[in-house]
């Protein structure tokens, strides 16, 4: 009869673990959902020609992602990619565009631009960023460690986002 209490205890422990994991996943999903929403707002503003509004939404996303511990999350790569697009086509700042494309590629080497955002200039700038990214011996871009990516971004976007928030 010792088997039954052990099984009940095991079942209770597994249930508690599953419930805790569900709460943690829900907590993680909230910032990611907010990042997704900010990126959607930015793309809408970009398509409407409001590049400053697009940049502001993406800067808010960068700050949120960093504060939420998502510096190397795929959604942050998408945010940096969108910043690269805004700086390439909208704000005409190739240097910053290249920096943001590079950050996107370091997080997700296979990231790509699609749809209306994939202009010739954007595609070329992204390809240039891929070429400049550090490569592994196999020739594939290397993913930077989380700490390196988290520390590397230029503090200027965070300063700009904080200025715009006040």
């Amino acid at each position: 009869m010792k088997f039954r209490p052990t099984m009940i205890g095991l079942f209770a422990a597994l249930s508690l673990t599953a419930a805790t994991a569900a709460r943690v996943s829900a907590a993680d999903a909230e910032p990611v959902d907010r990042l997704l929403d900010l990126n959607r707002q930015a793309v809408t503003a970009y398509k409407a020609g409001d590049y400053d509004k697009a940049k502001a939404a993406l800067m808010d996303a960068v700050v949120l992602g960093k504060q939420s511990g998502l510096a190397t999350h795929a959604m942050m790569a998408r945010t940096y990619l969108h910043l690269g697009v805004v700086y390439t086509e909208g704000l005409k700042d190739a240097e910053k565009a290249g920096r943001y494309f590079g950050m996107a590629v370091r997080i997700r080497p296979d990231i790509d631009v699609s749809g209306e955002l994939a202009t010739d200039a954007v595609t070329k700038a992204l390809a240039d960023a891929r070429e400049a990214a550090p490569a592994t011996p196999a020739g594939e871009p290397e993913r930077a460690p989380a700490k390196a990516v988290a520390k590397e971004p230029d503090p200027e976007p965070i300063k700009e986002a904080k200025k715009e928030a006040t």
Side-chain angles (χ1 to χ4, degrees):
M1 290 293 169
K2 288 184 181 182
F3 176 73
R4 189 173 212 167
T6 303
M7 289 303 288
I8 292 171
L10 180 61
F11 179 74
L14 288 174
S15 297
L16 181 60
T17 302
T20 302
R23 274 181 274 169
V24 169
S25 294
D28 289 345
E30 186 178 316
V32 173
D33 289 343
R34 183 71 181 125
L35 287 175
L36 183 60
D37 183 50
L38 287 166
N39 272 267
R40 285 182 184 143
Q41 289 175 25
V43 170
T44 300
Y46 171 82
K47 288 179 180 179
D50 192 345
Y51 307 123
D52 290 326
K53 185 176 180 180
K55 177 183 141 191
L58 293 168
M59 292 301 179
D60 287 347
V62 168
V63 171
L64 173 66
K66 288 180 181 183
Q67 290 174 344
S68 301
L70 299 171
T72 59
H73 190 277
M75 199 60 223
M76 286 297 288
R78 183 64 50 190
T79 300
Y80 291 132
L81 182 82
H82 289 153
L83 274 165
V85 170
V86 169
Y87 274 101
T88 299
E89 289 291 350
L91 301 175
K92 307 293 185 193
D93 187 335
E95 183 181 331
K96 284 186 180 179
R99 188 177 325 136
Y100 286 119
F101 283 136
M103 292 164 69
V105 167
R106 280 191 292 281
I107 295 170
R108 268 194 59 209
D110 62 336
I111 198 163
D112 211 357
V113 184
S114 60
E116 296 173 50
L117 303 180
T119 64
D120 290 340
V122 167
T123 304
K124 181 176 179 348
L126 181 58
D128 291 346
R130 269 202 184 90
E131 281 184 29
T136 62
E140 294 181 20
E142 181 179 304
R143 288 183 187 254
K147 288 181 182 174
V149 173
K151 290 181 183 176
E152 188 169 318
D154 185 3
E156 180 183 332
I158 295 172
K159 288 177 189 173
E160 288 177 25
K162 286 182 181 176
K163 263 194 236 175
E164 292 172 9
T166 57

